[in-house]
């Protein structure tokens, strides 16, 4: 057991939810409550297991940690190869935190096909953690796509009134990007084979291959498209408001909290290192789209009448900022971007959760249906305010640190004006978020039915409180997270820059002691 | 040349028969006539086979034809049975009238 | 060309035993039907045993060519035997309850299925155009009958007619193609086709084209596909289960054999382009029209048309990897497509009516197992990773990319995006719509459950552990006789 | 006794905040009062325990590093606090005035608030104290920004305290958003500073700038302008002042604490803190001076015609803040900070006094419905009058000294136009303040009988702060006597001197005594003139003269009364176009274009399917034909090539 | 074999008759007449086979095709009592006809072009008229072609059972 946890911790983390989820199907239909509790317990166990990851992670060790490797399709060099660095670490932790939070929230709110619901979430967790751990491109692709299926069901079965449209849009949109990436992966692996005579899909091997500039451009675009859709980068974002809005609350939490980050993660882990020249050549465009996303998302969020839709557009804006940070390619901005992904997961997760709290009581997400409820539900209001201020980057909370680092890092890059334009997001986010807060919680109470609005339940409160505590913690002690991110980001940057220098050498020399 | 017969004559005849067969299959409406046309197409093949066989000086051509004729007979029996079965429902074997399954 | 007369020796016996078992089992079933109709409930078991026995004998048969180089026994044929045997087994399992429900549980059905299976088996093993042709006709005749076997249902008879007329038409073209290959090589043996010079002979090319057309017809490749939707719709579902899978795999194998025999090195450009064009047409037409379908069997027919477009990608790529990819693809296709039809058979309970997708509403909760497997099959057909379908497409597209067929690969993935549209449509109708009535579905019969379970397991097994199959297929492709250097 | 660590000072109100927030509702008002006011009292004590030794000592800056905070790439910033004369000054009056206002609030808020509301109020107020203390004690820009935004947050929360009134909610939001515009500038300024100096630490940055001015000066104008934009937002300067008058929607003690005494002066503090940078960027200084001067007179003019007692005080605050920036802009930082301090005393006193009046009037804020309150509320009246005199710059009240110092500074710098503006503003200030006093306390009562019956002096928790502040309004100016009175009298300037180091190549000097006497006389005369005119018009003539003027000049009067319609202009030029743009982007770009293209694509594919489906006619002959066409096409394509 | 090419004339005449009657079969609207026309055509083809040294094929052509298959057709026609194709409203399919015609012309042209090449490319056989012997043919069938022959038996069985299954009159049990 200890060996399992010691040497195969990542595998355990990946497959525990799925395996446990499979047990759920053994529960009788009538034992819905027990099934929910079991799923929740499982996700908490997962969280507990992920804590050693956080403790034992050594930020100063180069390369990937907790590595595991097994042959999968040996004749093609496809392997089950896992490992994490600081970037994946924080995102894994984010996932293991948000999953129990979602399930905890759902404890009192989902009654339809409970077992399937819980299973879908656990399967999703497996997919996400797998995506974050995979170091083999084929393995990554498998997890990357597998994630879609549970999310599709989560939106489609337990979603709102336009759930089917939203689910289809989500699936097709995301799929459309990844299919081209799939071909690009095949090409890259084929090229490795052509140059070395050996098949491999291992990222570290593929990094040795370099491509002619035009080829690299095409491949980069194929990868970037897949990730850009997931992020989502303007103008590929329109699936997101629909998906977020229609998904059940818990689904929105994970969708916004975790899934979107995987686009950025994929870009950092694969697109950038594999195609450094193209990535750098197109960085100005990526950054431009990010900047547009920041402003555009914020502007479009403003007139929204649906709370979740508003929060969804705010995600477009926030992730635009993350993209800007990555395109800026300075150490500060990169660290800020990674941190900001975590921050966004927490704040947007909390916002969706609290919107869900209201929705479950009034069954409407219309901003206009509320108003003046701050006195009726003060605790909810307070939590919502904290989440709001985290989201709009109030210093002292987590959102600020990421935002500031990105903007500062971008300022010190060669694209100073991005920073200037993106910083207007600071103003705009305050405009739309506070407008919503005012119209939902403040103003005179006009709808009588809101007078009897019940206050947040303990289970929901705990779920939200966890997030709030984390927001404050990261806001006050961001270095706890940053010190794990920084070396990885710097290493990434160094390796990409090094590879750019060595461009056009057909195959890089192999280090001694390579496998086989 | 097969004896005094140029192979081209055989092939020409075969091509003509095949084309006529296709024409019948495309243009006729009665399922039976269509099937007859298909038989003509197979005969065109048979003719070419026998011609080539003779020209090549091998018996294989005839062997194939033997098989083809047997198969044609089997096909005919099954096909006609199908027509009969269908006719019981539709009272017609005009394929223009048979379009329950479409789109 | 062998000059001496061939003797029927133990080698030949061992090689042909699989087919003999199947044929004999067919005869046995006919006799039992005639003289001991009470034993009907055992027919499915007998058939399964025959399929299993035949497969066992096939796997045990010594490798090599027998019957004077007309019948191949090799890793490849073993693999294909497993593939078609698996299809047959699923079809028989599906048939078991289906026939009882429709009151057609008779020996003829199983016998014809087994005989058709013999034909397919000959297609996969034949090294001789005549054997291939006879196999093709055996398959066709059996399935003409199976298509129309529900004489009381007009749709079934119509399916029989349409399949018969188009099938016979197609066979005539195939035959005409065989004529020219024979004419130029002087023999019906495939090995004779590899003579120098044939690759550039217009008549040979013409013959090959006609074979492409004829077997393309069997695979339901556009524009030779038109029969498929109508026939699938009218044909009894168990027969479709078989017809939509096994003959297609056998057909592409035949094409591969014949083409490699003639071209060895690689397809001539024009020819490759023709295959590419067919692939694109097939994928696009199949996927686009499938979007508009309301009957699930028709939808699956169009899906099949599209899938065969993907298979043609591998034909265009033309190489050992591509061939191995085809084999892997068909195993995946077996699991997903046969599984889908098995689920259709389990979920639709009235055979006299069409099978509109709308009837599946709410089945996700009413018949969780069958609906679950159907959803799984559809995801697999859509090529979602961790399912067999992804593995199939993975290797196909890899072959295309390795061969530099980028445009084709891109069109392929764009098409699979379109296909997700209709595959998911079925899924959402099953899971995201409320049932149209409150009728409780009957218990899923054991045989159906077994078929569905097998397909489900296969989909995951292949999707997660594809390595063994790929290596086998790759090894089989390595020993494929005709590839040039 | 080892010194109390600096972090204790802000930590105490933070603890108060948490107590009030988490337990306040359950434990009731008594607990909240104790926790809220008590924590601030403790903080004030702690602060003075540190400050007194510091003032007695050598005034060398003390940096106390709490821990590391943010490190990423080359960027690194610590959680560290800084005690130097400037922050000492701020801490001293922030804690002191803050405590007084907490005390006052106990009385002011106790009547009409629920336990929950009361707890919320004190929680916010404590959070404000925390933020403000962080702001002034921070030893680097980023931590200062934390306090900066924190006070903004509290301002937002407290302005919107009466959340169920739409105007209050609007005002809160407006305050935050306008402040954010300023913060945008502050952020860019910080980026610029980091870009130039590679650090955000005050000591490092100012040290580097002072040691090598030639290297940094060219870039500092832009940086300083950005920083100043931040200050403009926080300190309500034209054109970002619009939030402050609206912010009066909050409870009056809040207006006194946040929107008069402390928070709004943060901008001035920031500019003063960055004086090294500003002094190296003369163009930026000029901008500061011009904006300050414009704001001073502009707001003073508006204040002339306002009838809401708090609005007058609000515009007065804006105007006085303009004065402070004017001082900074001409390099008279000491004068500016001096005015910050004195202004804190008398403006807090004025606001608290007005709160006392409003309290007595049952929430009425319109001066036209008041009058004659002097007899009913003597303490309020006398303290109010003292503070008014202080604000008007009548010697020897506190305001006189600081205002005079500013005018002297402006004159000394040679900005004569601005000097004129300053003098004029002084006159206007005296005028509108006496207008206010006259309308409120003199004459007959003009409200309803019920209100009259209800009139009463406020409780002691409210009057004590008034008295204390009034005393300070009198004596507060004596720490900074001009040199004409005593060469060593400017103890204030001497104390702050280390913060404003001499820069190489800068002229430092003073005015001739004669000139200074002249200036003192001028400003006193102008103030007295304004004062007397207001007394004549509003007390003696009961407002007939102004009415005549208003009738004679309806256009200009209406314009002034309507605050130059700036809000309306902003609404038309910024808010509406913004809404339109946002909606347009959503409906056009998102829905119409992007989704339109996608849906059209999907629709076309489906349409294609729907049409192509009909190729499947059901007729076998068509099937045979399509088959045959395929054959012919293939033949043409493949064989045709041979 | 020099001199008057009597073989060729007979052959060409026979093919002409076959083609002609095939054409008649296609154009005739009454199925019975079509079948009868085809009988003639198939007999003519049998003559061709004789000319091409394949008397055995000629024989089974007459027996199986002429004798069995076409008679079966006639029998079915009589059974179903099918009349001539009637022109109904839906029977006119100009698009189908036009496209078919065009495609047929193209196809014929291509085929002719191809076969012109095809005739000359064959190595001349050595067997000659000896191919006409039947006994070797039979030996081949039962030895070299044993496999397809066996398969054929299954095929015939399947056809038999199939025809029986389909044409059975009584409904299923």
């Amino acid at each position: 057991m200890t060996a399992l946890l010691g040497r195969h911790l990542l595998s355990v983390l990946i497959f525990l939810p799925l395996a446990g989820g499979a047990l759920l199907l053994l529960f009788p239909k009538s034992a819905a409550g027990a099934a929910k509790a079991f799923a929740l317990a499982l996700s908490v166990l997962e969280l507990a297991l992920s804590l050693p990851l956080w403790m034992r992670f050594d930020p100063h060790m180069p390369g990937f940690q907790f590595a595991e490797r097994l042959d999968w399709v040996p004749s093609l060099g496809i392997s089950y190869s896992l490992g994490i660095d600081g970037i994946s670490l924080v995102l894994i932790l984010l996932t293991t935190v948000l999953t129990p939070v979602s399930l905890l929230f759902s404890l009192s709110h989902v009654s339809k096909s409970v077992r399937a619901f819980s299973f879908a979430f656990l399967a999703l967790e497996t997919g996400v953690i797998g995506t974050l751990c995979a170091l083999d491109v084929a393995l990554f692709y498998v997890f990357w796509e597998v994630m879609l299926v549970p999310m599709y069901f989560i939106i489609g079965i337990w979603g709102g009134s336009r759930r089917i449209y939203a689910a289809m849009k989500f699936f097709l949109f995301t799929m459309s990007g990844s299919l081209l990436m799939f071909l690009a992966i095949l090409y890259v692996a084929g090229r490795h084979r052509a140059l070395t005579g050996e098949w491999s899909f291992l990222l570290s091997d593929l990094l040795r291959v370099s491509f002619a500039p035009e080829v690299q451009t095409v491949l980069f675009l194929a990868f970037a498209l897949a990730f850009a859709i997931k992020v989502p980068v303007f103008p590929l974002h329109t699936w997101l408001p629909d998906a977020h809005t229609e998904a059940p609350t818990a689904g929105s939490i994970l969708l916004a909290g975790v899934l979107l980050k995987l686009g950025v993660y994929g870009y950092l882990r694969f697109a950038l290192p594999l195609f450094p020249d193209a990535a750098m050549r197109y960085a100005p465009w990526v950054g431009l789209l990010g900047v547009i996303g920041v402003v555009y998302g914020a502007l479009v969020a403003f007139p929204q009448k649906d709370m979740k839709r508003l929060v969804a557009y705010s995600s477009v804006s926030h992730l635009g900022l993350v993209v800007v940070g990555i395109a800026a390619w300075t150490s500060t901005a990169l660290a800020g971007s990674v941190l900001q992904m975590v921050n966004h997961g927490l704040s947007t997760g909390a916002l969706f959760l609290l919107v869900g709290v209201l929705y479950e009581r009034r069954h409407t997400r219309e901003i206009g249906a509320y108003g003046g409820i701050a006195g009726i539900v003060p605790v909810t209001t307070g939590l919502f305010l904290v989440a709001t201020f985290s989201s709009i980057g109030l210093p002292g909370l987590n959102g600020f640190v990421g935002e500031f680092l990105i903007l500062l890092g971008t300022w010190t890059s060669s694209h100073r004006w991005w920073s200037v334009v993106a910083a207007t997001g600071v103003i705009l986010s305050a405009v739309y978020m506070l407008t919503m807060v005012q119209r939902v919680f403040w103003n005179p109470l006009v709808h009588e039915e809101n007078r009897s609005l019940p206050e947040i339940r303990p289970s929901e409160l705990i779920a939200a409180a966890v997030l709030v505590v984390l927001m404050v913690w990261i806001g006050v002690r961001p270095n706890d997270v940053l010190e794990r991110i920084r070396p990885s980001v710097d290493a990434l940057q160094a390796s990409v820059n090094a590879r750019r220098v060595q461009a056009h050498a057909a195959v890089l020399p192999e280090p001694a002691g390579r496998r086989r | 040349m097969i004896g005094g017969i140029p192979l081209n004559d055989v092939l020409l005849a075969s091509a003509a028969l095949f084309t006529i067969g296709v024409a019948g299959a495309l243009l006729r409406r009665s399922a039976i006539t269509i099937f007859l046309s298909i038989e003509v197409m197979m005969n065109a093949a048979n003719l070419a086979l026998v011609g080539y066989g003779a020209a090549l000086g091998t018996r294989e051509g005839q062997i194939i034809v033997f098989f083809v004729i047997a198969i044609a007979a089997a096909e005919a029996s099954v096909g006609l049975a199908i027509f009969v079965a269908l006719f019981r429902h539709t009272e017609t074997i005009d394929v223009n009238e048979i379009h329950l399954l479409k789109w | 060309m062998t000059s001496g007369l061939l003797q029927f020796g133990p080698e030949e016996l061992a090689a042909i035993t699989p087919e003999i078992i199947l044929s004999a089992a067919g005869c046995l079933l006919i006799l039992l039907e005639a003289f001991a109709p009470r034993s009907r409930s055992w027919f499915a078991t007998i058939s399964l045993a025959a399929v299993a026995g035949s497969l066992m004998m096939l796997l045990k048969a010594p490798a090599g060519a027998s019957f004077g180089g007309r019948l191949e026994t090799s890793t490849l044929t073993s693999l294909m035997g497993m593939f078609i045997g698996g299809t047959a087994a699923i079809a028989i399992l599906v048939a078991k309850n289906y026939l009882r429900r429709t009151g057609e549980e008779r020996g003829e059905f199983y016998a014809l299925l087994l005989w058709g299976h013999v034909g397919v088996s000959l297609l996969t093993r034949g090294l001789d155009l005549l054997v291939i042709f006879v196999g093709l006709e055996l398959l066709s005749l059996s399935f003409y009958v199976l298509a129309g076997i529900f004489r009381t249902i007009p749709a079934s008879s119509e399916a029989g007619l349409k399949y018969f007329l188009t099938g016979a038409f197609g066979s005539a073209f195939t035959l005409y193609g065989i004529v020219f290959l024979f004419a130029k090589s002087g023999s019906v043996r495939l090995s004779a086709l590899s003579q120098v010079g044939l690759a550039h002979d217009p008549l040979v090319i013409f013959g090959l084209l006609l074979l492409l057309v004829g077997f393309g017809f069997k695979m339901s490749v556009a524009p030779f596909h038109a029969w498929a939707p109508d026939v699938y719709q009218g044909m009894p579902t168990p027969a479709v289960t078989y017809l939509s899978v096994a003959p297609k795999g056998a057909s592409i194998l035949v094409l591969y054999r014949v083409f490699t025999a003639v071209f060895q090195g690689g397809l001539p450009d024009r020819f490759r382009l023709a295959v590419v064009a067919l692939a694109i047409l097939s994928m696009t037409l199949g996927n686009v029209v499938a979007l508009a379908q309301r009957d699930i069997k028709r939808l699956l027919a169009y899906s099949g048309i599209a899938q065969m477009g993907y298979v043609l990608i591998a034909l265009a790529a033309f190489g050992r990897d591509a061939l191995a990819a085809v084999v892997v693809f068909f195993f995946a296709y077996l699991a997903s497509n046969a599984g889908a039809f098995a689920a259709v058979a389990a979920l639709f309970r009235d055979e006299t009516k069409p099978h509109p997708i709308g009837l599946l509403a709410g089945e996700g909760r009413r018949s969780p197992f069958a609906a679950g497997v159907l959803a799984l099959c559809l995801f697999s057909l859509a090529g979602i990773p961790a399912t067999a379908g992804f593995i199939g497409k993975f290797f196909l597209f890899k072959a295309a990319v390795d061969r530099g067929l980028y445009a084709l690969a891109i069109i392929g993935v764009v098409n699979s995006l379109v296909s997700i549209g209709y595959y998911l449509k079925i899924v959402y109708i099953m899971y995201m719509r409320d049932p149209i009535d409150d009728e409780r579905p009957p218990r899923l019969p054991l045989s159906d459950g077994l078929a569905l379970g097998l397909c489900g397991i296969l989909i995951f097994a292949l999707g997660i552990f594809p390595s063994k199959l790929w290596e086998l297929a790759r090894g089989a492709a390595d020993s494929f006789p005709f590839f040039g250097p | 006794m080892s010194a109390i660590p600096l972090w204790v000072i802000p930590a105490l109100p933070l603890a108060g905040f948490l107590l009030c927030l988490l337990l306040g509702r359950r434990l009731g008002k008594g607990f909240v009062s104790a926790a809220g006011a008590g924590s601030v009292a403790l903080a004030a004590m702690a602060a003075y325990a540190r400050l007194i030794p510091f003032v007695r000592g050598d005034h060398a800056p003390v940096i106390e590093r709490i821990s590391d905070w943010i490190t990423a790439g080359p960027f690194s910033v610590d959680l560290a606090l800084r005690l130097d004369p400037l922050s000492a000054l701020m801490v001293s009056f922030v804690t002191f005035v803050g405590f007084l206002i907490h005390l006052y609030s106990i009385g002011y808020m106790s009547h009409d608030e629920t336990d929950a509301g009361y707890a919320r109020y004190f929680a916010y107020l404590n959070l404000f104290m925390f933020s403000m203390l962080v702001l002034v004690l921070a030893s680097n820009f980023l931590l200062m920004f934390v306090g900066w935004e924190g006070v903004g947050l509290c301002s937002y929360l407290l302005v919107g305290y009466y959340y169920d009134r739409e105007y209050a909610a609007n005002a809160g939001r407006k305050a935050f958003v306008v402040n954010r515009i300023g913060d945008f500038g502050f952020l860019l300024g910080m980026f610029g500073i980091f870009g130039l100096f590679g650090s955000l630490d005050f000591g490092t940055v100012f040290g580097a700038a002072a040691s090598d001015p030639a290297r940094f000066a060219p870039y500092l104008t832009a940086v300083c302008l950005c920083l100043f934009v931040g200050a403009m937002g926080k300190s309500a300067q034209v054109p970002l002042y619009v939030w402050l008058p609206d912010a009066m929607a909050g409870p009056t003690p809040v207006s006194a604490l946040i929107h008069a005494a402390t928070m709004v002066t943060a901008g001035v503090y920031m500019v003063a803190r960055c004086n090294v940078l500003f002094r190296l960027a003369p163009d930026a200084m000029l901008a500061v001076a011009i904006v300050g001067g414009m704001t001073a007179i502009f707001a003073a003019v508006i204040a002339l015609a306002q009838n809401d007692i708090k609005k007058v005080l609000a515009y007065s605050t804006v105007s006085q803040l303009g004065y402070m920036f004017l001082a900074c802009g001409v390099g008279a930082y000491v004068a500016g900070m001096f005015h910050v301090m004195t202004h804190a005393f008398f403006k807090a006193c004025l606001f608290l006094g007005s709160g006392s009046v409003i309290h007595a009037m049952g929430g009425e804020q319109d001066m036209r419905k008041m009058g004659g309150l002097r007899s009913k509320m003597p303490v309020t009246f006398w303290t109010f009058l003292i503070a008014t005199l202080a604000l008007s710059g009548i010697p020897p009240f506190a305001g006189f000294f600081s205002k005079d110092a500013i005018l002297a500074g402006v004159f000394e710098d040679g900005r004569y136009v601005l000097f004129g503006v300053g003098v004029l503003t002084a006159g206007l200030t005296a005028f509108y303040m006496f207008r206010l006093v006259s309308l409120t306390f003199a004459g007959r009562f003009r409200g309803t009988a019920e209100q009259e019956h209800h009139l009463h002096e406020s409780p002691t928790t409210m009057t004590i702060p008034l008295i204390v502040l009034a005393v300070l309004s009198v004596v507060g100016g004596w720490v900074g006597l001009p040199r004409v009175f005593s060469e060593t009298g400017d103890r204030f300037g001497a104390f702050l001197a280390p913060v404003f180091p001499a820069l190489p190549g800068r002229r430092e000097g003073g005015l001739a005594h004669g000139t200074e006497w002249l200036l003192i006389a001028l400003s006193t005369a102008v103030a007295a003139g304004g004062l007397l005119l207001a007394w004549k018009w509003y007390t003696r003539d009961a407002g007939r003269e102004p009415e005549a003027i208003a009738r004679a000049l309806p256009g200009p009067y209406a314009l002034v009364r309507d605050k130059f319609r700036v809000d309306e202009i902003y609404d038309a030029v910024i808010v509406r176009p913004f809404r339109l743009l946002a909606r347009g982007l959503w409906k056009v770009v998102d829905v119409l274009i992007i989704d339109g293209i996608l849906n059209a694509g999907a629709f076309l594919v489906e349409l294609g399917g729907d049409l192509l489906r009909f190729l499947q006619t059901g007729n076998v002959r068509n099937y045979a034909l399509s088959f045959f066409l395929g054959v012919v096409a293939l033949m043409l394509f493949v064989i045709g090539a041979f | 074999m020099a001199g008057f090419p009597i073989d060729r004339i007979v052959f060409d005449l026979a093919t002409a008759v076959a083609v002609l009657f095939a054409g008649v079969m296609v154009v005739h609207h009454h199925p019975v007449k079509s079948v009868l026309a085809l009988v003639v055509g198939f007999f003519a083809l049998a003559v061709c086979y004789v000319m091409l040294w394949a008397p055995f094929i000629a024989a089974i052509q007459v027996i199986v095709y002429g004798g069995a298959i076409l008679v079966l057709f006639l029998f079915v026609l009589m059974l179903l009592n099918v009349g001539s194709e009637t022109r109904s409203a839906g029977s006119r399919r100009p698009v189908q006809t036009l496209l078919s015609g065009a495609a047929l012309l193209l196809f014929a042209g291509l085929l002719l072009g191809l076969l012109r090449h095809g005739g000359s490319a064959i190595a001349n056989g050595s067997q000659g008229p000896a191919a006409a012997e039947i006994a070797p043919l039979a030996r081949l069938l039962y030895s070299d072609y044993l496999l397809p022959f066996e398969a054929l038996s299954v095929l015939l069985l399947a056809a038999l059972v199939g025809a029986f299954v389909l044409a059975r009159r009584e409904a299923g049990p």
Side-chain angles (χ1 to χ4, degrees), chain A residues 442-457:
Chain A
W442 298 3
N443 282 357
L445 193 140
V446 282
H447 299 281
E448 280 305 313
E449 57 271 42
N450 286 334
R451 220 170 269 289
S452 53
L453 208 60
E455 180 57 289
I456 192 167
R457 289 179 209 193

Side-chain angles (χ1 to χ4, degrees), chain D residues 300-301 303-305 312 388 392 424-438 526-538 546 549:
Chain D
V301 169
L304 293 178
V312 177
T388 303
S392 306
L424 184 58
T425 306
L428 292 174
T429 306
F431 177 82
Y432 65 68
M433 280 315 294
F434 259 80
R435 170 176 176 266
L436 189 156
V437 171
S438 302
V526 169
L531 192 153
L532 289 174
L533 188 65
W535 179 77
K536 174 173 176 291
W537 279 6
Y538 290 97
I549 295 172

Side-chain angles (χ1 to χ4, degrees), chain B:
Chain B
M1 295 288 266
I2 306 132
I5 306 163
L7 183 57
N8 265 345
D9 283 17
V10 183
L11 296 182
L12 205 64
S14 163
L17 278 175
F18 194 83
T19 313
I20 289 174
V22 175
L26 294 180
L27 296 171
R28 299 320 306 261
R29 301 198 304 275
S30 161
I32 288 191
T33 322
I34 292 174
F35 186 38
L36 281 176
S37 305
I38 294 170
E39 294 286 357
V40 171
M41 289 162 71
M42 297 180 89
N43 271 282
N46 286 351
L47 184 57
L49 276 171
V50 173
Y52 272 125
L56 288 168
T58 162
R59 292 194 179 83
E60 279 199 43
Q62 293 185 50
I63 301 240
I64 303 173
V65 174
F66 168 81
F67 277 96
V68 173
I69 292 178
I71 290 170
E75 232 176 30
S77 67
V78 169
L80 291 171
I82 288 175
F83 296 163
V84 170
L86 183 72
F87 192 83
R88 292 199 183 122
H89 294 296
T90 56
E91 301 286 318
T92 178
I93 48 168
D94 183 340
V95 293
N96 275 2
E97 309 295 323
I98 301 167
H99 46 67
L100 196 64
L101 303 167
K102 62 184 169 190
W103 296 332

Side-chain angles (χ1 to χ4, degrees), chain A residues 1-93:
Chain A
M1 187 67 194
T2 39
L4 189 66
L5 290 182
R7 246 169 300 151
H8 302 286
L9 186 54
L10 291 182
S11 291
V12 171
L13 281 173
I14 293 175
F15 292 109
L16 175 75
L18 189 70
L23 290 181
L24 268 178
L25 303 179
L26 301 179
F27 279 70
K29 216 170 206 161
S30 51
K36 278 188 209 175
F38 176 73
L40 178 60
L42 206 61
S43 66
V44 172
L45 175 65
E46 174 89 354
L47 174 60
L49 285 177
S50 69
L51 290 180
L53 216 56
W54 178 260
M55 310 291 179
R56 282 166 41 200
F57 182 82
D58 178 2
H60 305 293
M61 203 165 89
F64 292 95
Q65 305 183 24
F66 302 96
E68 291 175 41
R69 194 158 175 281
L70 282 172
D71 278 342
W72 189 16
V73 186
S75 51
L76 287 182
I78 300 178
S79 61
Y80 173 78
S81 173
L82 307 176
I84 58 168
D85 65 359
I87 304 173
S88 6
L89 173 76
V90 293
L91 292 176
I92 289 173
L93 264 289

Side-chain angles (χ1 to χ4, degrees), chain A residues 169 237-238 296 313 392 438 443 479 486, chain D residues 68-69 71 163 170 173 180 590 595:
Chain A
K169 198 170 175 182
H237 64 278
T238 57
Y296 181 88
Y313 275 110
I392 68 180
Q438 180 187 349
N443 282 357
N479 267 356
R486 242 180 296 127
Chain D
D68 62 321
W69 185 26
T71 315
Y163 58 82
N170 278 333
R173 180 163 55 96
R180 275 257 153 163
D590 240 48
D595 267 357

